[in-house]
Amino acid sequence: MHKAVGVSVDAMLEDLRTLVEVESPSRDLDALRASAKAVAAVIENRLGGRAVLVESEAGPHVRWSGGGDPKVLILGHHDTVFPLGTVERRPFRVEDGRATGPGVFDMLGGLVQAVHGLAALDDRSGVEILVTADEEVGSRSSRALIEERALACGAVLVFEGAADGGALKTGRKGCGTFQVVVKGRASHAGLEPAAGVNALVEAAHQVLDIAALGRPEIGTTVTPTVASAGTLDNVVPAEATVVVDVRVESADEKERVESAFAALAPHLDGAEVTVTGGIGRPPMPESAAAGLFALAQRLLPGLEATAVGGGSDGNFTAALGVPTLDGLGAVGGGAHADHEYLVVDTMAERAHLVAGLVRALQEA
């Protein structure tokens, strides 16, 4: 593999510390504004030019262009799942070959590696960077921009954390969340239980109907995850809510499951069932990554790939037919957890891989 020059692990760790210490919980607009400015400063410091903040209702997205005809989109996000104050409890540290701290793996480490990989290239024309502010909460404000720039560039490299063992992610399930609200009628549980319509009992029926929609043998999982009902122990519940996580591997399954949720009907006389939500991220077919992964393997022999259940913004770009390769970010683990970590010894290799992929796409 042709090595890019000028990649410094110490410099990458310095930038990673900067980004981790500017906390960026999704939906906290003030925090995300500070985070976007920090990301923009890192990009400008390492790559030159100007990183533009694109305001949205979910916080600022960060865009940068190396000029020329767009050929490759570097895609990531700067929002994290951790609340303000996490970094005080769990500060950025580098010990025993691991960097730890909120967001190091998902996905600030990947952003830093991407920027430093690009910095090693003399020619950055044709490269665009888009770092969004709302990936962790569904990418509603950024999806249109992501899709627009992906179509304009024609190839997308996604810097979410790598899969186990450093494998790249060549397929992802489509994923989404449904909320099922059951309306019943309250009554006194002791004096007039029959006068009520028990929303909790209706919700129990619905949970069984919903769970039966899963087809794990073809990759479809339908998992009720959160439920709430009732007010007092002597009142027949008038309302219940069930939240359901759904993952699918094909567009046909997306359509089947969404249709089944729309068709849910009450079992009890007088109950009402309302469904909101949907499968917001379409499946990312492995075919979308085939060419880019073959290129990555030539650059880094022995590199492996896998399909995963979680979604990313790569789902949107792959569903458009744009070649998309994911999992190019940090090698590590523990996303969304207190033990989140990044393997320091892999940072330079992954930065070199970025440089090699971009160079090849520029020349294509």
Side-chain angles (χ1 to χ4, degrees), residues 100-190:
T100 55
V104 290
F105 178 69
D106 186 13
M107 62 165 289
L108 303 175
L111 295 181
V112 168
Q113 290 168 189
V115 169
H116 282 255
L118 295 176
L121 296 174
D122 292 332
D123 177 12
R124 297 162 201 155
S125 62
V127 180
E128 290 192 16
I129 299 174
L130 177 58
V131 185
T132 65
D134 62 345
E135 192 274 344
E136 296 289 7
V137 290
S139 305
R140 289 175 183 83
S141 79
S142 57
R143 179 175 181 175
L145 180 58
I146 290 166
E147 292 178 337
E148 173 198 315
R149 298 324 304 159
L151 288 167
C153 291
V156 180
L157 304 178
V158 185
F159 285 83
E160 294 283 358
D164 289 348
L168 301 189
K169 297 173 180 178
T170 51
R172 287 183 179 272
K173 290 185 179 183
C175 53
T177 303
F178 292 82
Q179 185 175 68
V180 180
V181 176
V182 177
K183 291 292 179 71
R185 183 170 61 247
S187 65
H188 195 293

Side-chain angles (χ1 to χ4, degrees), residues 18 23 31 94 111 170 192 265 280 327:
T18 296
E23 295 182 285
V94 180
L111 295 181
T170 51
E192 296 184 296

Side-chain angles (χ1 to χ4, degrees), residues 229-244:
T231 53
L232 295 170
D233 59 4
N234 62 351
V235 177
V236 171
E239 184 168 317
T241 302
V242 179
V243 179
V244 187

